[in-house]
Amino acid sequence: MMGGMASEETRTLKSTTAPDSATAPDSAIAPGSAIAPGSVAGPEDGAAVPATRAWAVRLVVVGIVLSALNLRPAITSFGALLEEVRDGLGMSGSMAGLLTSVPPLCFAVFGVMAPRLARRFGVGAVVCAGMVAITAGLLIRPYTGSTAGFLAASALALMGIAVSNVLMPVIVKRWFPDRVGSMTGLYSMALALGTAAAAAVTVPVTEALGGNWQSGLTVWAGLAAAAVLPWIPLVRDRGAAPAEREAGQGVSTHGHARVNGAGPVRQVHARVEPPTLRITRSPTAWALAVFFGLQATAAYITMGWMAQIFRDAGVSAGTAGLLLAVTMVMGVPLAFVIPRLATRLPHQGPIVIALGACGLAGYAGLYLAPAAGAWVWAVLLGVSNCAFPLALTMVGMRARTGAGVAQLSAFAQSTGYLISIPGPLLVGVLYQHSGGWGLPIALMVGLMIPQMAVGLLAGRDRTVEDEAAR
């Protein structure tokens, strides 16, 4: 799959069809123009300049996949061993709830820094540093011996996840501007696979290592270390993707390049431009931020607490981990399908409603018969959690330029994660003080309704550049 994607990126595109809504054109696109990230001809003699090296594109694809695999194991591996970690560190239910709220807090605080860091050091360097931070945090946190140390090391890993969260849509938009839907799907699918794998195998691996929860959590540092490698060759690249630089070299005096005589193509900016949008003036940006926040709330409650809900209902620890894994693994196929479907629809509202309905049904099942229908509820909640790849896709669709995507991604994710912080903590407090799961589940249901409402607003066919300009 990766090789095919890379080869497509290095071929000259001779089609003159207009790009889909996921890659709305810049002002420099001529009607009927094609996008050619591969080979670009000179402005005068029509001779092709060197195409983007296939190995570089393949390396970016590998980097995207490996990075995405590492964006959730730090969280779901902890959720699978929550009870053991609580016992080992002497945590209360409220403190455990606080720990499950740390991911969105870190994503909000550190994610907003990502575009600025990328402009200064380059996207490749920042993502590479993020993978190093994840590796270090996962290696350190099981052996700190205290709740405070565990929290600090977790924050280090989550800092790396935060900047990578924000920059992944930017990388997709810059390196694959005509394939936002499929590449977002690939990235989301890998993210879901990593999430599910950590939930499914952390408990068995811990048992195989003698029941030591520290060892069970540490093993995920190896996967993070592997994700550092593809980004090392791109650390010094502070400008645009090679495809974008080559397109810039073939620019004519009229602002367009020619592709083997096939007509003008889009001139792509040489680097991520400084933010110029007044993003807070855009109603769509706010709707997307709130939608992102509410879906993140549901996701982190699920990752942090669902296994415990099943265990309290009499399900064994191993089976509860598998149920959480089923919820996460539903995102593997759907995270690839939903972005592709979303880019073909003028309005993404119907997808928002369908995912929300699955969530409401899953919560009802958790309340009425958590053990009897456990596998069904796990599947339904897994479908509902696919609001995350939908939100990422809408980030790419609601901005017209790469710089706009960077700013919208940072705003929507940072604001959204701030919104999501109280949710997991409140679940822990309600669980501890009520002695059951009725009130926490009622909270989850209550949050799903506004999620569906703002998702309808975020799914409208418009761009933040247009709204901010008004």
Side-chain angles (χ1 to χ4, degrees):
M1 179 187 293
M2 294 178 190
M5 288 183 177
S7 63
E8 289 184 21
E9 293 301 322
T10 59
R11 286 200 301 265
T12 300
L13 302 182
K14 296 190 177 182
S15 169
T16 58
T17 57
D20 62 28
S21 59
T23 55
D26 291 292
S27 59
I29 297 184
S33 63
I35 301 172
S39 59
V40 179
E44 297 178 359
D45 56 13
V49 303
T52 302
R53 288 175 293 183
W55 70 265
V57 179
R58 291 191 181 98
L59 197 62
V60 172
V61 175
V62 171
I64 289 173
V65 171
L66 285 178
S67 297
L69 286 172
N70 283 281
L71 295 184
R72 294 299 179 269
I75 303 166
T76 51
S77 60
F78 169 65
L81 295 175
L82 178 58
E83 189 170 309
E84 288 75 11
V85 176
R86 285 177 58 190
D87 293 341
L89 298 178
M91 276 190 262
S92 65
S94 297
M95 181 57 67
L98 176 62
L99 275 174
T100 58
S101 292
V102 168
L105 174 62
C106 290
F107 294 166
V109 172
F110 298 117
V112 74
M113 301 162 53
R116 183 177 301 173
L117 292 172
R119 287 193 300 272
R120 181 170 181 179
F121 301 106
V123 175
V126 176
V127 175
C128 185
M131 294 300 114
V132 172
I134 296 171
T135 305
L138 293 181
L139 281 173
I140 295 169
R141 75 174 182 175
Y143 303 103
T144 58
S146 68
T147 299
F150 190 93
L151 180 63
S154 295
L156 176 62
L158 293 167
M159 177 177 64
I161 296 172
V163 295
S164 301
N165 271 338
V166 171
L167 294 179
M168 282 297 145
V170 180
I171 292 170
V172 168
K173 185 80 169 183
R174 289 172 59 196
W175 281 81
F176 308 97
D178 56 335
R179 306 188 68 190
V180 171
S182 59
M183 289 305 300
T184 300
L186 178 65
Y187 151 65
S188 301
M189 185 170 63
L191 188 149
L193 182 61
T195 306
V201 308
T202 297
V203 171
V205 166
T206 301
E207 293 173 351
L209 296 174
N212 187 307
W213 63 266
Q214 288 97 334
S215 300
L217 292 180
T218 304
V219 295
W220 296 103
L223 182 62
V228 175
L229 302 178
W231 298 106
I232 293 176
L234 300 171
V235 164
R236 294 173 180 257
D237 181 13
R238 299 189 180 186
E244 296 174 348
R245 290 196 300 270
E246 290 168 10
Q249 291 169 2
V251 175
S252 72
T253 56
H254 297 288
H256 299 98
R258 294 191 174 273
V259 183
N260 297 337
V265 300
R266 174 170 57 182
Q267 175 185 349
V268 187
H269 297 293
R271 59 181 59 86
V272 176
E273 298 175 349
T276 56
L277 293 175
R278 295 184 178 181
I279 198 76
T280 54
R281 290 186 174 184
S282 167
T284 297
W286 280 107
L288 190 52
V290 176
F291 177 72
F292 198 98
L294 292 176
Q295 68 80 28
T297 301
Y300 289 110
I301 289 173
T302 299
M303 286 187 279
W305 290 106
M306 198 180 83
Q308 191 64 47
I309 294 175
F310 287 127
R311 290 178 74 168
D312 287 351
V315 177
S316 68
T319 302
L322 286 176
L323 287 165
L324 179 59
V326 167
T327 299
M328 299 299 109
V329 84
M330 290 302 299
V332 175
L334 291 179
F336 192 70
V337 172
I338 287 176
R340 294 172 66 87
L341 176 62
T343 57
R344 286 164 171 76
L345 294 177
H347 194 303
Q348 289 73 50
I351 305 177
V352 171
I353 297 300
L355 297 180
C358 289
L360 293 175
Y363 292 142
L366 282 181
Y367 178 77
L368 297 172
W375 296 100
V376 177
W377 318 140
V379 169
L380 287 171
L381 291 174
V383 174
S384 179
N385 279 349
C386 287
F388 175 72
L390 176 61
L392 288 180
T393 305
M394 288 196 289
V395 167
M397 297 178 69
R398 298 287 90 89
R400 182 176 291 118
T401 65
V405 170
Q407 191 171 353
L408 178 58
S409 179
F411 175 76
Q413 294 198 44
S414 297
T415 305
Y417 284 127
L418 278 175
I419 293 171
S420 71
I421 290 169
L425 175 60
L426 188 55
V427 166
V429 172
L430 290 175
Y431 171 58
Q432 180 172 339
H433 290 283
S434 69
W437 288 104
L439 286 178
I441 291 173
L443 172 66
M444 300 177 208
V445 172
L447 292 175
M448 185 58 69
I449 304 301
Q451 176 182 322
M452 296 163 70
V454 294
L456 286 172
L457 296 177
R460 295 175 298 175
D461 186 12
R462 54 195 63 193
T463 65
V464 294
E465 287 92 346
D466 292 339
E467 292 181 341
R470 298 194 194 105

